[in-house]
Amino acid sequence: MSHGSHGSGKSYAPEFVAALKEAGFDFFAGVPCSLLKGLVSLLDADPSARYISATREDSAIGMAFGAWLGGRLPMVLMQNSGLGVSVNALASLSTMYEVPALLVISWRGEGGNDAPEHIMMGEIMLPILDLMKIQHRVLRAAEPMGPQVQWAKDVMLSTRQPAALIVPAGVLE
Amino acid sequence: MNKLEALKVFTAAVGKDDLVVCCNGMIGRELYTTQDRPSNFYMIGSMGLGLSIGLGLALAQPRKRIFVLDGDGNVLMGMNALASVGSERPANLVHVVLDNRSHASTGGQRTISGDVKLESVASAVGYRATHRADSVESFEASLRVALVQPGPVMVLALVDGGTVKGIGRVAETPQELASRFAAEARR
């Protein structure tokens, strides 16, 4: 591990995937991050999830957009570097058309402790989401996952806007 | 052929239950002027993402035929999405590219599609069939064949550059465009 793994070393990914399915999420796409390793491998190994390994994060947002129009409840996962790639897609696609998606975004560079390429994005990620008026919550280990996923789904359905769950180290690895 | 001639051929090939995702720029306004229908989705920003949207839709609605109406500038900007289409291989996706070798919406500046055979890229990444047409007749014939082939199929039509007079703007709000399209897509 190039970055410190916090907590007990337990992955909450199985609980998180169960919560996603319980809430009815049925379209999954994204670009991986080491902090999301557990989540990606569970989705990828699950034939019913049909996880799409996208090439770019904005493309995954486009796919999720089309899936929502077609009646699905979509989730997109990415490293926070991908949020930079996705700003225009979120600004002129998801938020403008009022087509929601659940964004699961890892928090590289949290607290300024990470490889240099992650420090700036780690610092500006939440302000970027705030500027785009995208509601977000941070997933913490040892908190139940179900209510967090349900909160995101409620935001999506009631505001017709994307909602973000932010994933620090040691939660979904 | 000019773009309006191409769009007449395209709209004639689209069936009543088919869904169309149209890329941003002049093409959307030209399609809207030629034949607007609730089953057309007009992407008005986010250049390059039309094909990604069409792919997500094709996977969500496998029993419907999905057309993505694209331009060369959009395809080049979102070329990575061709690889995703080639990997997922949705049989119900028809990717139509009107190639005028220019960015019509911003004043006709050149793109590099004259140097890059986009249908060869599509073929290389796993599209099941590709076609290139340079006249009204060959575009009609290519679409006819494409509609009986399993997708993903690309039909690239070479069209003249320049803009056509009398092209309106999309009147509906973005929210209206998305909700009326979703109602059709989920039928």
Side-chain angles (χ1 to χ4, degrees), chain B residues 11 57 62-64 67 77 81 95 120 149 153-154 163-164 166:
Chain B
T11 52
L57 181 63
R63 290 200 307 279
K64 289 193 181 242
F67 284 95
M77 189 176 277
H95 189 187
S120 302
Q149 292 173 313
V153 184
M154 177 183 283
T163 51
V164 189

Side-chain angles (χ1 to χ4, degrees), chain B residues 1 3 23-27 30 47 70-77 97-116 118 156-164:
Chain B
M1 93 187 103
K3 253 202 292 187
C23 72
N24 71 313
M26 280 309 292
I27 294 181
E30 288 157 347
M47 182 169 174
D70 234 338
D72 49 302
N74 262 272
V75 172
L76 288 162
M77 189 176 277
V97 182
L98 302 186
D99 182 358
N100 61 0
R101 302 187 173 178
S102 58
H103 292 288
S105 322
T106 52
Q109 301 87 348
R110 70 180 175 87
T111 68
I112 56 169
S113 66
D115 307 316
V116 180
L118 296 172
L156 182 138
L158 285 172
V159 295
D160 306 331
T163 51
V164 189

Side-chain angles (χ1 to χ4, degrees), chain A:
Chain A
M1 290 288 203
S2 59
H3 46 83
S5 192
H6 310 303
S8 58
K10 172 188 167 181
S11 174
Y12 296 87
E15 190 190 332
F16 187 69
V17 171
L20 288 171
K21 295 200 155 183
E22 177 67 25
F25 285 90
D26 57 1
F27 187 91
F28 306 94
V31 179
C33 171
S34 58
L35 301 193
L36 304 173
K37 260 200 313 256
L39 174 60
V40 177
S41 60
L42 285 176
L43 290 175
D44 206 26
D46 179 349
S48 71
R50 290 210 62 231
Y51 171 75
I52 300 169
S53 171
T55 56
R56 284 171 56 104
E57 297 83 356
D58 58 351
S59 173
I61 286 170
M63 291 177 203
F65 185 97
W68 169 276
L69 292 176
R72 300 285 192 90
L73 189 62
M75 183 214 84
V76 176
L77 63 87
M78 66 179 74
Q79 182 176 93
N80 53 350
S81 55
L83 181 62
V85 171
S86 302
V87 166
N88 188 55
L90 291 166
S92 67
L93 201 61
S94 317
T95 58
M96 181 184 74
Y97 284 101
E98 297 182 354
V99 168
L102 167 58
L103 310 173
V104 175
I105 309 173
S106 71
W107 198 349
R108 296 298 307 259
E110 185 189 11
N113 299 316
D114 210 326
E117 69 273 22
H118 296 299
I119 301 303
M120 167 73 85
M121 189 50 82
E123 196 178 321
I124 66 175
M125 168 178 61
L126 297 184
I128 288 173
L129 290 168
D130 290 336
L131 284 170
M132 291 196 288
K133 301 183 182 67
I134 293 173
Q135 295 187 54
H136 52 83
R137 280 190 178 183
V138 179
L139 279 187
R140 295 290 176 193
E143 281 178 11
M145 299 286 151
Q148 300 284 50
V149 170
Q150 195 53 52
W151 166 83
K153 182 187 173 183
D154 291 345
V155 168
M156 287 166 61
L157 297 183
S158 64
T159 67
R160 304 192 63 85
Q161 291 292 329
L165 291 172
I166 308 302
V167 186
V171 184
L172 298 181
E173 289 162 54

Side-chain angles (χ1 to χ4, degrees), chain A residues 96-97, chain B residues 32 42 44 170-180:
Chain A
M96 181 184 74
Y97 284 101
Chain B
Y32 185 85
Y42 303 94
I44 56 178
V170 175
E172 287 79 4
T173 65
Q175 298 89 329
E176 285 166 347
L177 292 171
S179 62
R180 72 176 194 166

Side-chain angles (χ1 to χ4, degrees), chain B residues 31-145:
Chain B
L31 174 65
Y32 185 85
T33 305
T34 304
Q35 187 203 61
D36 177 40
R37 51 206 275 280
S39 306
N40 289 357
F41 177 74
Y42 303 94
M43 188 178 85
I44 56 178
S46 59
M47 182 169 174
L49 290 184
L51 184 60
S52 295
I53 294 171
L55 174 58
L57 181 63
L59 296 172
Q61 287 285 347
R63 290 200 307 279
K64 289 193 181 242
R65 178 184 282 141
I66 315 297
F67 284 95
V68 173
L69 181 63
D70 234 338
D72 49 302
N74 262 272
V75 172
L76 288 162
M77 189 176 277
M79 197 120 99
N80 58 303
L82 272 72
S84 293
V85 167
S87 157
E88 293 290 329
R89 302 189 99 196
N92 56 330
L93 186 71
V94 182
H95 189 187
V96 176
V97 182
L98 302 186
D99 182 358
N100 61 0
R101 302 187 173 178
S102 58
H103 292 288
S105 322
T106 52
Q109 301 87 348
R110 70 180 175 87
T111 68
I112 56 169
S113 66
D115 307 316
V116 180
K117 283 203 134 154
L118 296 172
E119 78 279 18
S120 302
V121 177
S123 186
V125 297
Y127 279 52
R128 285 193 173 93
T130 63
H131 306 262
R132 168 176 284 248
D134 57 4
S135 68
V136 169
E137 297 71 28
S138 64
F139 186 31
E140 275 174 344
S142 297
L143 276 173
R144 252 198 315 277
V145 175

